[in-house]
Amino acid sequence: METPENEIFRDSIGTITEDGKRAWVFPKKPSGKFYKNRKLVSYILLAILILSPFIKVNGNQFLMFNVLERRFNIFGFPFWPQDFHLFVISMLIGVIFITLFTVAFGRIFCGWICPQTIFMEMVFRRIEYWIEGDRNKQRKLARQKWDAEKIRKRGLKFIIFAIISFIIANVFLAYLISSDKLIQYITDGPSKHLSTLISLTIFTAVFYFVFGWFREQVCVIACPYGRLQGVLLDTKSIVVAYDHKRGEGENGRKKFRKNEDRNALGHGDCIDCMQCVHVCPTGIDIRNGTQLECVNCTACIDECDHIMESINLPKGLIRYASEENIEKKTPFKLTARMKGYIAVLSIMIGLLTGMLFLRNDVEANVLRLPGQLYEHKENNIISNVFTYKLVNKTSRDIENVTLKLISHKGTLKLVATSNNFVVPSQDLAEGTLFVEINNSLLSGDRNKIEIGVYEGDKLIETTTANFLGPRSFK
């Protein structure tokens, strides 16, 4: 039994042909109100993305994700391995925020904020338009034999793509190893840092592959965010949508003809010009409804509005709208699910803010040396050996640091250093110390002692440790 034509639904992605091969997308150059706004937002975000590793806040890199050394800076706040719980909370806030935004406004993040979309559409694609021309010229060049014109245009495009990919790779590396190290490596020369040069070459090749060939397939195949739409979106979510009730009418869409009464014939406002398909960077037909590939880039909105203006019909046939708005003219309002996400997000932000304010600039850890018991000395003195580690999370050197025993009367001696030392900025100081306490001041074989970290006469941190002594028998 054959399926009626009006019940045939798309069961494959638009960038794959029937025989399973890649269908290359040649999108028409977009223009219009939304595209101008997207360009403005994109160039601001590009500037932030490129400059962030080189901006310093209180001496800290604005954004850094040094995975190898487990050091992270977010908006100038340094996060050490000891602050991993704060980093996790920060990431959870980001995930909840994107989830909330998706539930309310669909994939607006993908179309307006995602670095993949911004670089692809606002950098590489615009260079392609400049060199090869618009959609039809690109299609013609693709079918053309490798003559002098094609070699010149493709060669120029590939060289520029490679240079930009190399710049992006350097910026990416600055996020990972810090901009200071990157600049130092560049100054020293590539021969002294071959491993970094190899990493830079690999990153360049990856970015070139993504933006030169893989392109929209990142959003369709590699990125899991698009697949979350089926879970996160509902009929109340605002997405880029085609108003099928207005566009189809009673008898469906129809090509435009002058002096024709479309309403009397029962046809909708869609004139089946296919311009919304031609301008789509992922090659879909938005008239089929919300789809996996749609990144909410608004190119189809601008193109459809232009067509509607040219035939004297109202704009907004394709627009930001929810399914309920199209079906029932229901205005946008916060749902119970959105309110729940907002509540969780507010709690998480409040928790992170409080923990950041309570976080000390210096973190101290004092642990007993593994495998060592106490030592019994003259005059009934019990001695324990410990290791200490002081982490300086600030951008200044902390000088004249001393460690003092503040919970018991006794002595604290550092090994191989004086009791006045410096903890370098964004670094740590570690070593060994002895604590000696009279046995008469101990209660049992395990005692908790408190050690203070002083900068001069100012107490800046306290920490505790277990002090072992002889077991008392009563």
Side-chain angles (χ1 to χ4, degrees):
M1 180 178 177
E2 294 186 0
T3 305
E5 186 177 349
N6 62 350
E7 291 185 11
I8 295 177
F9 296 96
R10 196 193 70 153
D11 59 358
S12 64
I13 61 176
T15 53
I16 301 295
T17 61
E18 291 183 358
D19 54 357
K21 295 181 179 179
R22 169 85 176 270
W24 197 266
V25 178
F26 296 96
K28 181 181 176 181
K29 185 177 181 180
S31 61
K33 178 185 68 175
F34 282 104
Y35 186 64
K36 289 179 181 178
N37 292 336
R38 279 181 63 218
K39 281 198 295 185
L40 178 62
V41 172
S42 296
Y43 293 142
I44 292 173
L45 291 176
L46 275 174
I48 294 173
L49 190 67
I50 293 171
L51 295 176
S52 286
F54 305 96
I55 296 173
K56 298 291 181 67
V57 178
N58 295 326
N60 300 318
Q61 188 169 307
F62 187 68
L63 288 174
M64 184 179 72
F65 305 94
N66 191 332
V67 179
L68 296 177
E69 297 179 9
R70 295 181 296 169
R71 289 176 57 187
F72 306 91
N73 289 350
I74 300 178
F75 305 136
F77 286 99
F79 293 87
W80 286 71
Q82 294 85 352
D83 298 320
F84 186 70
H85 59 290
L86 297 177
F87 181 74
V88 170
I89 293 174
S90 299
M91 293 299 101
L92 287 174
I93 288 173
V95 170
I96 296 170
F97 179 77
I98 292 176
T99 301
L100 170 63
F101 227 64
T102 305
V103 170
F105 303 110
R107 287 180 74 177
I108 193 172
F109 171 85
C110 296
W112 290 76
I113 303 174
C114 177
Q116 157 69 18
T117 304
I118 291 173
F119 275 114
M120 186 67 249
E121 301 304 322
M122 298 301 171
V123 179
F124 289 89
R125 192 87 76 184
R126 287 176 65 81
I127 291 170
E128 203 164 53
Y129 290 136
W130 170 60
I131 296 173
E132 297 184 354
D134 208 343
R135 168 185 164 83
N136 292 333
K137 290 183 178 180
Q138 289 183 22
R139 288 164 62 88
K140 180 182 176 182
L141 187 68
R143 294 192 297 265
Q144 191 172 311
K145 292 182 179 179
W146 282 93
D147 55 12
E149 180 192 11
K150 186 169 183 176
I151 293 173
R152 176 175 57 82
K153 288 185 176 180
R154 287 289 172 90
L156 177 61
K157 183 179 79 170
F158 293 154
I159 290 171
I160 295 176
F161 278 13
I163 292 172
I164 296 175
S165 297
F166 180 73
I167 294 172
I168 297 172
N170 275 273
V171 174
F172 182 70
L173 203 60
Y175 278 101
L176 294 181
I177 65 173
S178 84
S179 57
D180 292 338
K181 280 189 179 179
L182 177 66
I183 294 171
Q184 180 190 337
Y185 291 171
I186 293 172
T187 305
D188 292 344
S191 60
K192 294 183 179 180
H193 305 282
L194 287 177
S195 60
T196 304
L197 180 62
I198 292 171
S199 301
L200 196 59
T201 304
I202 293 172
F203 288 147
T204 301
V206 169
F207 287 124
Y208 184 86
F209 169 75
V210 167
F211 297 115
W213 188 84
F214 206 45
R215 301 190 157 202
E216 74 285 341
Q217 300 300 303
V218 174
C219 307
V220 177
I221 298 174
C223 181
Y225 184 47
R227 286 161 176 76
L228 287 175
Q229 286 188 107
V231 178
L232 298 177
L233 299 185
D234 56 29
T235 58
K236 298 176 179 63
S237 302
I238 295 179
V239 294
V240 172
Y242 166 67
D243 189 341
H244 59 89
K245 295 182 76 68
R246 174 187 157 192
E248 304 297 316
E250 294 181 3
N251 297 321
R253 61 187 78 134
K254 184 180 184 294
K255 295 288 184 182
F256 178 75
R257 290 183 181 177
K258 287 186 177 180
N259 303 320
E260 182 179 62
D261 191 345
R262 299 177 66 87
N263 290 331
L265 295 173
H267 293 294
D269 286 354
C270 179
I271 63 172
D272 208 18
C273 63
M274 299 296 291
Q275 294 305 304
C276 60
V277 180
H278 294 163
V279 80
C280 179
T282 57
I284 66 168
D285 189 341
I286 192 64
R287 296 172 298 179
N288 289 332
T290 301
Q291 295 156 72
L292 167 69
E293 303 95 316
C294 181
V295 295
N296 282 205
C297 70
T298 69
C300 55
I301 296 179
D302 282 329
E303 197 65 24
C304 187
D305 283 350
H306 173 70
I307 296 297
M308 291 295 105
E309 276 187 317
S310 65
I311 59 175
N312 296 318
L313 287 175
K315 295 190 292 185
L317 180 59
I318 301 175
R319 63 182 186 272
Y320 275 120
S322 66
E323 185 178 329
E324 285 197 358
N325 177 258
I326 291 173
E327 291 283 353
K328 307 173 185 177
K329 305 300 180 185
T330 305
F332 173 77
K333 61 181 179 180
L334 292 177
T335 63
R337 185 159 63 135
M338 293 178 199
K339 292 176 182 178
Y341 284 129
I342 291 172
V344 173
L345 186 63
S346 300
I347 293 170
M348 296 288 283
I349 291 174
L351 178 64
L352 178 64
T353 303
M355 294 177 79
L356 286 173
F357 276 112
L358 293 174
R359 190 184 70 154
N360 292 330
D361 291 336
V362 175
E363 182 158 330
N365 282 298
V366 176
L367 299 172
R368 290 190 65 259
L369 195 64
Q372 295 292 320
L373 296 175
Y374 65 89
E375 182 182 357
H376 208 145
K377 293 188 172 184
E378 294 180 356
N379 300 321
N380 205 26
I381 297 296
I382 305 299
S383 175
N384 279 207
V385 60
F386 298 87
T387 59
Y388 69 89
K389 182 182 291 185
L390 304 180
V391 179
N392 181 0
K393 302 175 184 177
T394 69
S395 56
R396 65 178 182 87
D397 292 344
I398 299 179
E399 301 178 348
N400 196 24
V401 176
T402 58
L403 300 178
K404 298 178 182 178
L405 183 64
I406 59 178
S407 60
H408 292 70
K409 185 177 180 181
T411 59
L412 185 151
K413 301 176 182 177
L414 299 183
V415 178
T417 184
S418 65
N419 202 29
N420 292 277
F421 57 94
V422 177
V423 185
S425 65
Q426 295 290 303
D427 208 339
L428 57 87
E430 54 186 339
T432 307
L433 60 85
F434 286 96
V435 175
E436 297 179 351
I437 302 175
N438 193 292
N439 190 27
S440 62
L441 301 176
L442 301 177
S443 56
D445 59 337
R446 188 177 295 271
N447 299 262
K448 182 168 285 188
I449 61 172
E450 188 174 9
I451 296 172
V453 181
Y454 290 81
E455 182 182 10
D457 296 326
K458 179 183 177 184
L459 179 65
I460 57 176
E461 174 67 320
T462 60
T463 186
T464 60
N466 287 321
F467 188 93
L468 297 185
R471 182 173 296 178
S472 60
F473 298 94
K474 294 184 179 179

